[in-house]
Structure formats: C-alpha cells, structure tokens
Amino acid sequence: AQSVSQHNHHVILSEAASLELGCNYSYGGTVNLFWYVQYPGQHLQLLLKYFSGDPLVKGIKGFEAEFIKSKFSFNLRKPSVQWSDTAEYFCAVNAGNYGQNFVFGPGTRLSVLP
Amino acid sequence: SQTIHQWPATLVQPVGSPLSLECTVEGTSNPNLYWYRQAAGRGLQLLFYSVGIGQISSEVPQNLSASRPQDRQFILSSKKLLLSDSGFYLCAWDRDRSLALHFGNGTRLTVT
C-alpha cells in the first residue's frame, strides 16, 4: 500500500526566510504528486501537481516543488515566505487514475512570523 | 464555475444521536464525490466515494454511512454517534481522470 510521510509536523519561520517542506512516498510505480494547502478557516486547495515531464513544477503564490524519482520525494519550496503563507500543507500521492486512489500525508503546519 | 457546499460548518451532538451532513456540488454534472475525515497529525482518511447516483464505496468499516440520492448531492450519516466519530469531515469532488480533488469547507463534528 502507498504511504506518504512529511518530515516536519510544525515549521516556524520569519518572513522572507526560505521554505522547504519535505515529502516522501512509498510506491514503486508511476505516481502523480500533489501539494494541497489549507489556510486558516478556508478549504483545502490545490497548490501544485506533477503528472509527468519537467520534474520541477511551479504552482500558485510562488511555490514550486521538485520530483526526485530516485529519492521518492516531492519537496515543496518557496524562496521567501510571507505571513500570508501561514497554513497547513499536505502532500498527496495518487498511483491510479481515480480520485479514490489519493493518499495524503499527515500535513505540515507552517507558521510565518511577521 | 464549479462550487461545492458543505453544511453545517460546526455541529455538536450527543452520543447516540443521529447524524446527517450534506454536500452539494454546483456547476458540473456526474462528479465523483468523496467523504474524508481529517484528524490532526494524520492527514486525510477517505471514508466513502461515489461515482454515480446510488453507488457508494466504503473504504473504512465504521459507524458511518453515505448516500447519494441525487447526482450532485452526497450525504454522510450515522444512526447513533459514538465519541470516536468526533472530527473534521470534508467533502470533495472531481471528474474522472482530472486528478484534482476540490474540497468543501468541512464540518467540525464534536460528539459529547
């Protein structure tokens, strides 16, 4: 069975600091990879996704993620965080072509201090 | 554009009482619909999904059930709530092979 791990439960950064949130998955075959974000009081929304092609994908609000197949990783990065990036971030993997095949990581809570 | 509505936003229910959470999707037809439970520090757990009216698949055996009486309506129910049913419940939808789940705002359920 697939599983997704996220390295940090809670990350605290100051504004303008660089961000990297780790995500590793366990599955030997082809996967589709996602990062979702949940801002305080809001619904989960898609930040970015990787299906194929360039392993460096860019998402909304200046986020990017790099798929490293050999490391089974899909880390999320942002060069300079803002207070408004405070949220919970979820990595997800889908090894099939249907929504019921999604497996989510436990989430990383990011707190950005002004 | 498509929107998903989920209600109520919060709910406090006594043990043994029934439950009904509703989710509706607008702006699309024949969506796949999902119920997830989000537990702190444990991500999202898929509870039920439906690919069409009256078609329900359960991922986790439990005290809950789901129904899809209409194309864009998905209901999560329980006849008798347990304390362990407390949690944050999310409804989501997608279209086949779109691989982008769209979530509602969730319902915070507290069973007392």
Side-chain angles (χ1 to χ4, degrees):
Chain A
Q2 306 161 59
S3 67
V4 179
S5 62
Q6 293 182 236
H7 302 174
N8 307 97
H9 177 62
H10 189 193
V11 173
I12 302 174
L13 295 173
S14 298
E15 275 195 313
S18 64
L19 170 72
E20 181 160 3
L21 301 182
C23 171
N24 286 89
Y25 64 93
S26 65
Y27 184 74
T30 302
V31 293
N32 301 307
L33 299 157
F34 306 80
W35 276 97
Y36 280 84
V37 60
Q38 188 173 31
Y39 297 104
Q42 296 187 28
H43 64 278
L44 270 164
Q45 54 188 290
L46 183 65
L47 197 55
L48 49 78
K49 60 187 177 184
Y50 171 80
F51 289 171
S52 63
D54 189 343
L56 184 63
V57 293
K58 297 190 184 297
I60 60 173
K61 303 185 180 185
F63 285 91
E64 65 179 29
E66 185 175 13
F67 170 49
I68 302 179
K69 188 175 181 179
S70 61
K71 295 185 178 181
F72 299 91
S73 70
F74 191 55
N75 292 354
L76 181 70
R77 300 194 293 247
K78 186 171 184 178
S80 176
V81 294
Q82 301 172 317
W83 177 77
S84 58
D85 293 322
T86 295
E88 189 148 19
Y89 293 80
F90 294 90
C91 182
V93 169
N94 192 322
N97 286 321
Y98 300 97
Q100 60 267 32
N101 300 130
F102 269 91
V103 176
F104 285 84
T108 296
R109 184 155 64 99
L110 172 65
S111 298
V112 180
L113 307 177
Chain B
S1 64
Q2 303 91 356
T3 55
I4 178 168
H5 302 281
Q6 193 180 336
W7 68 94
T10 59
L11 188 61
V12 180
Q13 292 283 96
V15 169
S17 64
L19 172 74
S20 181
L21 303 181
E22 193 161 339
C23 171
T24 59
V25 179
E26 295 178 359
T28 188
S29 60
N30 197 29
N32 302 315
L33 297 169
Y34 307 86
W35 279 110
Y36 281 88
R37 178 160 51 201
Q38 184 179 359
R42 290 195 291 177
L44 281 72
Q45 179 187 36
L46 180 62
L47 303 176
F48 301 95
Y49 69 91
S50 171
V51 299
I53 296 173
Q55 301 178 61
I56 308 294
S57 296
S58 173
E59 291 293 299
V60 182
Q62 59 206 309
N63 186 44
L64 302 168
S65 62
S67 61
R68 185 170 177 174
Q70 299 180 47
D71 180 44
R72 290 170 290 173
Q73 184 185 28
F74 204 26
I75 298 171
L76 184 68
S77 304
S78 174
K79 291 182 180 178
K80 288 186 178 182
L81 282 169
L82 306 172
L83 284 174
S84 58
D85 291 324
S86 293
F88 191 56
Y89 292 86
L90 288 164
C91 181
W93 73 273
D94 75 346
R95 296 298 302 275
D96 278 347
R97 300 183 180 271
S98 72
L99 290 180
L101 286 174
H102 307 278
F103 289 89
N105 286 339
T107 296
R108 175 74 59 192
L109 171 66
T110 303
V111 182
T112 60

